[in-house]
Amino acid sequence: MNIKVKSLLTFIVFSINLSIGQPLICQPEDVTMAAMDDELSRTMKELRLPGHSRPYFCQFNIYENDDFSVEATLGAVTSRTSARQRTFDPIIRVGSYRFDNSNFTRPVNYYSNNGGESGYEQLSLISEAPLDRDYNAIRKTFWVNADYNYKKEVENLEQKRAYILERAKEDDLPDFSRGKPVKFLKEAESLAIDKEAWTEKIKRLSSIFRAYSGIRNSWVRFDERIINTWLITSEGTRVRNAERAVRILSYANAQAEDGSVITDGRVFLAHDRADLPSEETMKKELTGLARSLIERSGAAKADYYEGPVLFEGQAAAQLFARVLAPYLIAYRKPLGTDYQSITYDRLAKRLGRRVMPLSFSERDAPFSRRYKNTPLFGGFEVDDEGVLPEKLLLIDKGYLRTLCSGRNPSKYCSLSNGHGSLQGGVSAKHSVLYVEADKTQSRDQLVERLKKLGKAARLDSVLVVRRLANSVRDGSLFESVDSQISELTSEEGQLTDPLDFYKIDLKSGKRTRLRDGKFGPVTMRILKDIVAAGDDACAYPVEDLSNNYYHLISPSVLISEVEIEKRENVSKPPVIPGPMTF
């Protein structure tokens, strides 16, 4: 069977990303792009149910992941996987830019008693695209799923129309904003790695913990992933991108005599293996991790504290990542959803108002790739909707000026600024974040001011926090992702536990390490309670809810009042000592 393939196969396209100014040359032949392009064109012209309009917008995506991962414990491999997978996502919009099937949650009674969706037959859909770059197979995969999605979205649109006949709309915003066609084409990449060499290296790194009988559990993992993305839209956007990420992640824990478990970890990130720290450097870091955990397992238990706290180094970045970063998004409340108790816009509703001290600003820098020789994660050249990102000054001299937005208009942002997201049910995302202060102080000056605030509050001691639990894995108590997400929907959130912290006695100056503390509930007010910033800005990796890392550049910060409570033990020590303790 002869198949007419568009001139994309024989025409070399030169594309310039205007935001970066770098010329990019696409491959002379791309069967994947050609198949997607031809099937999208057919979908726009021919897909139509009687009595209903055809799609007004389509976006076809393919994500190709090429992965290698190896994990080891105490010098022994516990898992090793290598996989290549393609997933795809046909997005169909029915109606018009003004009013379409989106921004609507179906009523609970939409589903029939047998659990199937009413209105059309539930089909078993293909969830993965063909690994082989086969023209016919790719087209058929999109055909089946575009047909399914179109029928579903037609029904969504009709349900939405019926819904607004009975209820008044809270706003008159359009459902989707128009986008300018973008051409951004990079060559797809493939993973080539010496798997045996990296397996041996991870075994050597994990064996470091063998020397420390006080370490209860430990592991080290190496991950490398290449993500090739193909994205086309009916507006003319054509994107082919390739991203590479390399990560070495380690976690370990120790247990105190009273049963309390202290868990901590280290992460090394790079876009290329050559940019990872040397093996000797990583060994020193992991040795320091083991010694720190054992030392902290013998630390004094924290008492209730309410007063000034110095968030030093990484702790400051983690504070901003938890309290500020998730809310820098222009959320939109879908029709049909009861959002009375949900406050995704806890920051957005303060747009134009002061949210931080006047000396503080925050900017989003999607094109940042390096800071003081640290390779940065979180940036992107094109967002998930095929829009070129803009640099954003989110907070200017303490005032919230704008938010990260995609093509889903909201009362805060009517147009996309190139931060659209298709993951996690959120319509926008931030990139690399910079928290900056006009006035800074040295570490010694911050500590002196911390002591003065403590004396003014008639306290016996003050606290310094160096590290917080980064995510669900590294707290002394494991926290579910669901509980983290629920905090994003409440006016009061919860900072992850302090992992590395100590108190300074205001009379003697003695420093005492502490453990088993937890922060009390926090609100946006904590940002206004920042009274000083350090001169030690640095890039720190922090983990979001989807297990991805991004970098946040931040100085140390002193906050005038923070509540820390005692965390109760929930574990008991082992009945007999471990096999490596004698």
Side-chain angles (χ1 to χ4, degrees):
M1 177 179 180
N2 293 325
I3 300 172
K4 183 179 179 181
V5 181
K6 290 190 173 181
S7 60
L8 177 63
L9 296 180
T10 56
F11 182 71
I12 301 178
V13 179
F14 294 88
S15 176
I16 298 179
N17 181 342
L18 298 180
S19 299
I20 306 176
Q22 296 294 324
L24 300 171
I25 304 175
C26 89
Q27 301 172 126
E29 295 188 358
D30 189 339
V31 174
T32 298
M33 186 74 80
M36 293 170 63
D37 203 10
D38 288 347
E39 191 55 36
L40 183 143
S41 178
R42 191 169 74 105
T43 297
M44 291 296 294
K45 292 177 182 178
E46 301 180 21
L47 186 57
R48 183 174 185 177
L49 284 171
H52 298 279
S53 60
R54 61 174 58 97
Y56 80 91
F57 174 86
C58 286
Q59 177 177 329
F60 284 1
N61 305 306
I62 282 184
Y63 308 101
E64 181 182 82
N65 295 340
D66 200 354
D67 301 292
F68 174 70
S69 176
V70 58
E71 184 175 313
T73 297
L74 303 177
V77 173
T78 56
S79 69
R80 192 171 103 155
T81 60
S82 181
R84 180 169 163 259
Q85 181 184 42
R86 273 188 165 195
T87 58
F88 70 102
D89 183 18
I91 298 171
I92 308 292
R93 288 180 174 267
V94 185
S96 66
Y97 288 93
R98 186 70 194 170
F99 185 84
D100 69 14
N101 50 278
S102 66
N103 299 311
F104 174 64
T105 301
R106 300 186 186 199
V108 176
N109 62 1
Y110 170 75
Y111 294 99
S112 60
N113 293 332
N114 63 9
E117 296 188 13
S118 61
Y120 56 92
E121 182 182 0
Q122 175 72 46
L123 299 175
S124 177
L125 294 182
I126 305 167
S127 60
E128 297 180 0
L131 285 176
D132 294 334
R133 295 172 184 178
D134 183 279
Y135 178 88
N136 286 319
I138 293 171
R139 283 196 64 170
K140 187 169 184 179
T141 299
F142 274 101
W143 165 69
V144 171
N145 287 268
D147 180 85
Y148 173 87
N149 285 355
Y150 170 69
K151 294 171 182 175
K152 182 178 65 175
E153 302 307 349
V154 164
E155 189 165 353
N156 277 343
L157 181 59
E158 294 305 317
Q159 290 243 343
K160 182 177 177 180
R161 284 172 174 159
Y163 181 87
I164 63 174
L165 287 176
E166 300 177 1
R167 299 166 180 83
K169 289 184 65 176
E170 294 183 6
D171 55 57
D172 193 32
L173 293 168
D175 281 324
F176 199 51
S177 62
R178 296 181 183 274
K180 296 180 179 179
V182 169
K183 294 290 192 300
F184 185 91
L185 299 164
K186 293 171 63 176
E187 286 194 15
E189 298 183 15
S190 58
L191 184 60
I193 183 171
D194 187 338
K195 297 176 183 178
E196 298 305 322
W198 281 96
T199 298
E200 291 303 314
K201 180 175 290 190
I202 295 305
K203 287 169 63 177
R204 291 193 297 270
L205 290 173
S206 69
S207 66
I208 288 172
F209 297 101
R210 293 171 62 96
Y212 299 92
S213 59
I215 297 299
R216 178 166 178 166
N217 294 307
S218 64
W219 53 264
V220 180
R221 185 171 71 234
F222 170 87
D223 299 301
E224 181 163 357
R225 167 175 290 182
I226 291 176
I227 302 178
N228 293 315
T229 302
W230 287 261
L231 183 160
I232 68 172
T233 74
S234 55
E235 295 171 329
T237 289
R238 299 292 181 271
V239 172
R240 183 179 56 234
N241 202 2
E243 297 178 343
R244 182 187 297 266
V246 185
R247 176 178 70 176
I248 293 181
L249 185 64
S250 175
Y251 276 88
N253 62 37
Q255 191 167 27
E257 291 184 358
D258 59 5
S260 175
V261 177
I262 297 92
T263 306
D264 202 353
R266 296 291 183 269
V267 61
F268 309 98
L269 300 173
H271 294 284
D272 188 279
R273 280 172 246 134
D275 287 334
L276 285 171
S278 67
E279 185 173 344
E280 289 305 312
T281 298
M282 290 189 283
K283 284 181 177 179
K284 290 179 181 179
E285 283 285 330
L286 298 186
T287 298
L289 170 63
R291 292 173 177 172
S292 173
L293 283 168
I294 293 171
E295 182 180 347
R296 280 185 271 164
S297 67
K301 291 181 69 69
D303 291 320
Y304 179 81
Y305 177 85
E306 187 174 356
V309 172
L310 174 58
F311 288 81
E312 192 174 79
Q314 183 171 346
Q318 291 171 301
L319 167 74
F320 290 121
R322 188 75 173 184
V323 176
L324 185 58
Y327 308 101
L328 295 168
I329 306 300
Y331 291 103
R332 177 170 176 171
K333 173 184 171 182
L335 289 172
T337 304
D338 180 10
Y339 265 50
Q340 291 182 358
S341 62
I342 297 179
T343 54
Y344 286 108
D345 61 349
R346 58 191 291 191
L347 181 65
K349 63 187 180 184
R350 295 170 170 83
L351 194 64
R353 299 173 181 246
R354 187 173 71 86
V355 296
M356 296 183 77
L358 297 176
S359 60
F360 276 78
S361 298
E362 180 166 19
R363 57 188 175 92
D364 176 284
F367 306 120
S368 286
R369 296 295 179 268
R370 191 169 290 271
Y371 180 83
K372 295 181 178 178
N373 295 322
T374 298
L376 299 178
F377 276 70
F380 46 88
E381 292 92 355
V382 185
D383 74 4
D384 294 353
E385 296 176 315
V387 179
L388 299 177
E390 301 174 19
K391 299 177 183 178
L392 302 176
L393 182 57
L394 299 165
I395 299 174
D396 182 22
K397 308 296 184 183
Y399 283 81
L400 181 64
R401 296 303 186 191
T402 190
L403 297 163
C404 301
S405 65
R407 296 181 63 177
N408 188 23
S410 71
K411 60 183 178 181
Y412 308 110
C413 297
S414 60
L415 298 174
S416 172
N417 51 36
H419 288 71
S421 172
L422 298 179
Q423 299 180 0
V426 179
S427 61
K429 61 183 178 182
H430 61 75
S431 65
V432 180
L433 296 176
Y434 286 74
V435 177
E436 299 167 324
D438 294 337
K439 301 176 181 178
T440 61
Q441 299 179 12
S442 69
R443 185 184 182 282
D444 289 341
Q445 290 174 321
L446 288 177
V447 172
E448 284 305 310
R449 188 162 183 186
L450 171 67
K451 292 178 180 179
K452 288 181 181 179
L453 289 174
K455 291 176 181 178
R458 299 181 180 180
L459 299 173
D460 295 326
S461 60
V462 289
L463 296 187
V464 177
V465 179
R466 291 173 171 168
R467 281 172 54 80
L468 310 184
N470 202 36
S471 69
V472 296
R473 286 191 300 273
D474 56 349
S476 57
L477 293 175
F478 293 136
E479 181 185 13
S480 70
V481 172
D482 288 342
S483 68
Q484 291 192 62
I485 293 175
S486 68
E487 288 166 13
L488 300 181
T489 66
S490 170
E491 274 297 339
E492 290 190 347
Q494 185 75 40
L495 288 174
T496 50
D497 295 345
L499 290 185
D500 188 353
F501 65 119
Y502 61 90
K503 66 179 180 181
I504 302 175
D505 187 277
L506 291 178
K507 290 184 179 180
S508 66
K510 180 182 178 181
R511 301 184 178 189
T512 304
R513 297 196 79 155
L514 301 173
R515 62 178 170 90
D516 293 338
K518 68 173 183 178
F519 290 101
V522 298
T523 66
M524 285 293 166
R525 174 69 208 184
I526 196 172
L527 298 174
K528 291 184 178 180
D529 290 338
I530 299 173
V531 296
D535 58 4
D536 56 351
C538 196
Y540 299 97
V542 290
E543 189 176 10
D544 62 22
L545 296 183
S546 59
N547 193 28
N548 292 316
Y549 281 86
Y550 67 92
H551 276 88
L552 198 153
I553 293 85
S554 167
S556 299
V557 291
L558 175 59
I559 299 180
S560 61
E561 188 167 314
V562 179
E563 181 184 18
I564 295 181
E565 305 170 359
K566 180 190 295 186
R567 184 179 283 286
E568 300 299 330
N569 296 334
V570 295
S571 303
K572 291 183 179 181
V575 176
I576 61 174
M580 299 177 65
T581 58
F582 49 81

